[in-house]
C-alpha cells in the first residue's frame, strides 16, 4: 500500500540533507510517511508539478536551486509570495487538493538571529537570487540598518534593495566588506563543486556575526575565516533545520520535535 510522501527537488540534488532531517522527525513522531530526494532538471519542472498534482499520496516538496523562482509559475500563490519575497522554497497540497507555494526560508533564516541585537545596524549580504530575497525580507522585518549587497549584477542588487524598502548600496562581488554587524552569504559560492567565496573580513568589528547559508561543506572558507578572527558564526544547518521545520508541519500536519535538534545535528554531521 502506498504511503504519503514529501520530497526535495533541485538540480543538483545529491547533496541535500533534507531527507535525513524529515526522516528523523517522521521516525521520532511515529508518522507512517516518507521523504525523498528527487532530481528535477529545469526543463522537467512543469511535468513534475503536473504529475505530483495527480498523485494523491504526494504531500509537498521543498524546492532548492535552481527552481525557487520558476516554481512560482506552477503553484497557486495564495500567500502572495511572488510579491512579498519573489521566490518559493516549499510547495504543499492544500485542503482542497491544490498545489500551493510558500516560503519557509525567511523564517528559517531569521530564527537564529533572534539572539543578536541587529536593529538599526549595518548588514552585508552576498547574492541576489531566490535565497537572498528571503534573507532581505527577513532583514527588513528585523529592522536592520543599511544593507550593502554584493552581486555580479549590480543593477539587480540595487533593484532588490529597493523592492524590500532597504537603504544601502549594491556593489560588485570582490569589493572589500564594509564594517557590518552581520555578514550573510546568500549564494551557493563556497558549496561543494562551486567556486569559493573569499572575503576580506578585516573591517568587521569584534562583535560582528557571520552567517553562511551553505551547508555542504558545513565549515566553509567564510566561516573558517570568521572563526579565525573570533567572530560569532551561524552555519547553514541552522537555517536548513529552521526552514524544514515550518515545511514539515505543512506536509504532515504535526510540529517536529525541535527539542531533539542536537541529536539531529549529530546525524547530519555524521
Amino acid at each position: 500500500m502506498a504511503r504519503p510522501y514529501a520530497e526535495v527537488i533541485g538540480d543538483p540534488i545529491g547533496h541535500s540533507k533534507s531527507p535525513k532531517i524529515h526522516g528523523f522527525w517522521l521516525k521520532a513522531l511515529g508518522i507512517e510517511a516518507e521523504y525523498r530526494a528527487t532530481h528535477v532538471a529545469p526543463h522537467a519542472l512543469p511535468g513534475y508539478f503536473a504529475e505530483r498534482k495527480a498523485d494523491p499520496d504526494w504531500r509537498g516538496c521543498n524546492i532548492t536551486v535552481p527552481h525557487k523562482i520558476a516554481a512560482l509559475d506552477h503553484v497557486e500563490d495564495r500567500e502572495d509570495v511572488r510579491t512579498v519575497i519573489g521566490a518559493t522554497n516549499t510547495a504543499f497540497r492544500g485542503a482542497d487538493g491544490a498545489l500551493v507555494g510558500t516560503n519557509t526560508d525567511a523564517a528559517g533564516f531569521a530564527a537564529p538571529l533572534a539572539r543578536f541585537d541587529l536593529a538599526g545596524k549595518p548588514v552585508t549580504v552576498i547574492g541576489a537570487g531566490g535565497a537572498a530575497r528571503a534573507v532581505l525580507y527577513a532583514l527588513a522585518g528585523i529592522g536592520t540598518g543599511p544593507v550593502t549587497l554584493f552581486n555580479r549584477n549590480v543593477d539587480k542588487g540595487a533593484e532588490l534593495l529597493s523592492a524590500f524598502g532597504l537603504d544601502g548600496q549594491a556593489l560588485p562581488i570582490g569589493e572589500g566588506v564594509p564594517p557590518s554587524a552581520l555578514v550573510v552569504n546568500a549564494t551557493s559560492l563556497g558549496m561543494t563543486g562551486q567556486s569559493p567565496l573569499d572575503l576580506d573580513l578585516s573591517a568587521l568589528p569584534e562583535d560582528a556575526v557571520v552567517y553562511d547559508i551553505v551547508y555542504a561543506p558545513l565549515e566553509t572558507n567564510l566561516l573558517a575565516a570568521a572563526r579565525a578572527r573570533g567572530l560569532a558564526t551561524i552555519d547553514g544547518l541552522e537555517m536548513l533545520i529552521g526552514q524544514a521545520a515550518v515545511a514539515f508541519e505543512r506536509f504532515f500536519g504535526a510540529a517536529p520535535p525541535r527539542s531533539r535538534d542536537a541529536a539531529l545535528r549529530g546525524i547530519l554531521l555524521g
Side-chain angles (χ1 to χ4, degrees):
M1 183 175 177
R3 293 197 299 173
Y5 72 96
E7 59 197 331
V8 58
I9 65 170
D11 179 27
I13 200 59
H15 67 282
S16 177
K17 296 183 183 293
S18 293
K20 288 185 177 180
I21 296 172
H22 289 266
F24 175 84
W25 289 334
L26 288 170
K27 183 177 180 180
L29 295 175
I31 296 175
E32 289 295 322
E34 60 181 307
Y35 187 97
R36 312 167 179 171
T38 303
H39 176 253
V40 179
H43 72 272
L45 196 63
Y48 165 82
F49 280 110
E51 291 175 3
R52 293 307 189 266
K53 185 174 183 179
D55 184 349
D57 296 316
W58 184 85
R59 295 293 181 266
C61 66
N62 291 113
I63 303 162
T64 188
V65 175
H67 303 313
K68 291 190 176 188
I69 296 175
L72 281 169
D73 293 333
H74 307 288
V75 296
E76 292 191 17
D77 187 15
R78 297 179 178 178
E79 300 175 12
D80 200 21
V81 173
R82 186 185 295 274
T83 301
V84 175
I85 299 181
T88 179
N89 79 320
T90 302
F92 63 96
R93 190 180 298 283
D96 58 355
L99 272 58
V100 181
T102 188
N103 191 303
T104 67
D105 274 339
F109 168 78
L113 292 176
R115 58 184 186 263
F116 302 100
D117 178 16
L118 296 170
K121 296 181 179 179
V123 173
T124 294
V125 175
I126 298 91
R133 290 172 177 270
V135 166
L136 293 173
Y137 174 78
L139 293 177
I142 291 170
T144 62
V147 175
T148 298
L149 192 149
F150 289 103
N151 195 52
R152 292 190 181 93
N153 186 327
V154 174
D155 290 340
K156 182 179 180 182
E159 290 172 3
L160 273 188
L161 291 178
S162 177
F164 289 100
L166 293 165
D167 294 328
Q169 61 181 338
L171 298 173
I173 293 179
E175 298 278 341
V177 175
S180 308
L182 172 68
V183 175
V184 181
N185 175 29
T187 74
S188 59
L189 294 174
M191 183 184 292
T192 302
Q194 302 292 324
S195 300
L197 176 63
D198 295 313
L199 297 177
D200 180 1
L201 305 179
S202 60
L204 297 182
E206 293 182 356
D207 59 350
V209 181
V210 177
Y211 193 154
D212 198 335
I213 71 168
V214 169
Y215 58 85
L218 190 61
E219 178 74 354
T220 62
N221 288 347
L222 178 62
L223 292 183
R227 288 176 181 143
R229 274 211 51 205
L231 302 177
T233 59
I234 301 173
D235 63 45
L237 279 189
E238 292 207 46
M239 177 175 175
L240 183 69
I241 293 172
Q243 64 81 26
V246 182
F248 183 90
E249 195 158 354
R250 295 291 186 109
F251 299 153
F252 302 111
R258 296 301 304 275
S259 61
R260 300 186 62 181
D261 276 7
L264 175 56
R265 281 184 68 95
I267 291 172
L268 297 176
L269 295 175

